[in-house]
Amino acid sequence: MKSYEVNFDGLVGPTHNYGGLSYGNVASQSNSQQSSNPKEAALQGLAKMKALMEMGFQQGVLAPQERPDVAGLRSLGFSGTDAQVIEQAARQAMPLLVASCSASSMWVANAATVSPSADTADGRVHFTAANLNCKYHRSIEHPTTSRVLGAMFADQKHFAHHAALPAVAQFGDEGAANHTRFCREYGEAGVEFFVFGRSAFDTRYPAPQKYPARQTLEASQAVARLHGLSDDGVVYAQQNPSVIDQGVFHNDVIAVGNGEALFYHEDAFLDTEQMLAELSAKLAKRGGQFKAICVPRDQVSVEDAVRSYLFNSQLLSRADGSMLLIVPQECQNNPRVWQYLQELTSSGGLIREVKVFDLKQSMQNGGGPACLRLRVALNETELAAVNPGVIMTPPLYGTLTQWVDKHYRDRMTESDLADPQLLLECRTALDELTQILKLGAVYPFQIN
Ligand code: SUG
């Protein structure tokens, strides 16, 4: 049976802004308070989806969330009408309003961890929504994420959904941003690679000194158990704590894998040799041949990797077995990274082509091409069971660009977030979107 990697991209929501909310994420911190352009952000994301669809890849779309999160503000003690809740929050606790308005759900690599059916004990595709426990603005995503994923992958014969892990730092889980899967074919059993930043309970693992390590070993292990993965098909590795302290807040900022290949920076991991040997041995048992592509620090420094987001790229398989790298424009703007990419693609190795995308609106908050997509490997039968409303087609692309043009503002600053009209605009837009994507009622304003 045929199988595919389907990329579901997060549609940027209408409140996209630069709130400076993510300590440890260099771009989020350095662009704090700049004015944003939500319309441009959404169109940049849609252009990437369209391009991948036109290249022949399976492409889907994941809906944004209801923001401002009025229900969340109510749970923090603000009261009255919805407009009064927003007005009180703006007056008394602006940082809470900003956090409640973040469009961070666009970075769907953090929405969930997904294990394809070939890897799981019950032969279904398993999803665990990420608790994103490290930051308030992200911790409020998982209830709606679960409803949206449930509406997209509704058929229980093929899809199993798990609620987010307990919402404490010991089980900090950031979803697929720290999870990669190696396999020969997408439909064959593979090796799932979980990268963690620290251990919550075992003091033998070092931790970063400056910035938080968001993903714990214990969270990764819990997800592997929930998904029914076998020990033969799982490898755990620790991120190098010193790169976290240089702004690598997720593993997908310093490594990306696809098929049998891992493309990574020399300084990405601890105990790299042992990790590579384990990946290689376990993939060999599954009939695959592991290929490690290491980027040396003397060619690309960690700082250049963080600034350019070289590794936050999408590594895609082409029909001839070679691979294509989808990178953000910031890679082209960095002479050392661009030089490296020229050498890489002309060396006759596995990665033969680079395609550049302008995702500046998202990049300025630390979200590159890979952050904007959630990968779901599906066989033909499973793909046919996905809600067809969320699969990208030329007509859907047309409808969504018109929808963005109609509902989105082209400028947003902190003071705009206090405008009660924004909430009405967002709800009107999202109500229409649930009809376009055939999701049913998934947002708090539609349910309560
Ligand atoms: O969680 N930025 C996101 C970026 C997530 C990128 N995802 C992956 N690497 N997979 C984060 O730090 C910034 C929001 C702001 O500051 O307004 C933010 O949430």
Side-chain angles (χ1 to χ4, degrees), residues 33-216:
Q33 307 287 317
Q34 275 197 32
S35 74
S36 64
N37 185 336
K39 184 177 282 186
E40 188 177 64
L43 294 176
Q44 285 175 345
L46 280 165
K48 173 164 91 76
M49 297 183 223
K50 176 172 181 265
L52 264 74
M53 171 186 70
E54 287 175 346
M55 284 185 246
F57 295 104
Q58 297 287 341
Q59 180 68 53
V61 59
L62 227 151
Q65 304 220 343
E66 179 190 342
R67 297 287 179 271
D69 176 21
V70 179
L73 287 169
R74 286 186 191 282
S75 75
L76 298 174
F78 301 102
S79 58
T81 62
D82 288 346
Q84 284 166 339
V85 166
I86 289 171
E87 184 267 323
Q88 274 175 39
R91 205 160 18 86
Q92 297 171 21
M94 196 58 192
L96 291 186
L97 178 62
V98 175
S100 307
C101 288
S102 178
S104 55
S105 68
M106 74 176 86
W107 301 298
V108 293
N110 304 116
T113 306
V114 186
S115 295
S117 57
D119 296 351
T120 63
D122 68 1
R124 294 190 292 168
V125 183
H126 282 245
F127 300 81
T128 296
N131 62 23
L132 297 174
N133 186 251
C134 187
K135 316 275 175 208
Y136 174 71
H137 72 289
R138 303 225 59 185
S139 71
I140 55 181
E141 291 174 26
H142 70 85
T144 297
T145 300
S146 290
R147 282 193 295 272
V148 172
L149 289 174
M152 294 165 69
F153 304 95
D155 188 342
Q156 291 182 12
K157 202 168 120 216
H158 297 295
F159 307 121
H161 295 273
H162 305 278
L165 298 177
V168 290
Q170 286 154 321
F171 291 108
D173 178 20
E174 300 276 320
N178 298 302
H179 174 256
T180 310
R181 176 175 183 261
F182 301 103
C183 60
R184 202 170 54 172
E185 295 286 336
Y186 294 119
E188 292 178 5
V191 176
E192 300 202 16
F193 179 47
F194 290 86
V195 180
F196 58 95
R198 69 186 174 93
S199 165
F201 296 104
D202 190 335
T203 50
R204 284 172 304 176
Y205 295 95
Q209 302 293 306
K210 187 176 168 198
Y211 291 145
R214 299 194 198 182
Q215 180 83 32
T216 68

Side-chain angles (χ1 to χ4, degrees), residues 273-290:
E273 289 312 313
Q274 188 211 314
M275 173 202 94
L276 294 175
E278 193 180 347
L279 283 171
S280 187
K282 288 189 169 171
L283 190 60
K285 279 202 187 154
R286 302 243 190 283
Q289 204 191 341
F290 182 68

Side-chain angles (χ1 to χ4, degrees), residues 17 19-22 25 28 110 137-138 177 214 250 252 365-366 371:
N17 73 95
L21 299 170
S22 281
N25 167 343
S28 154
N110 304 116
H137 72 289
R138 303 225 59 185
R214 299 194 198 182
H250 288 137
D252 69 3
N365 252 340
C371 300

Side-chain angles (χ1 to χ4, degrees), residues 233-259:
V234 173
V235 173
Y236 298 100
Q238 184 168 8
Q239 239 188 309
N240 180 350
S242 89
V243 300
I244 296 180
D245 282 339
Q246 292 170 75
V248 182
F249 57 98
H250 288 137
N251 180 57
D252 69 3
V253 176
I254 196 123
V256 58
N258 172 46

Side-chain angles (χ1 to χ4, degrees), residues 286-297:
R286 302 243 190 283
Q289 204 191 341
F290 182 68
K291 300 173 179 87
I293 307 167
C294 176
V295 180
R297 70 175 79 86

Side-chain angles (χ1 to χ4, degrees), residues 384-402:
V386 176
N387 177 343
V390 299
I391 300 297
M392 188 54 82
T393 58
L396 179 60
Y397 171 78
T399 307
L400 289 174
T401 48
Q402 278 169 21

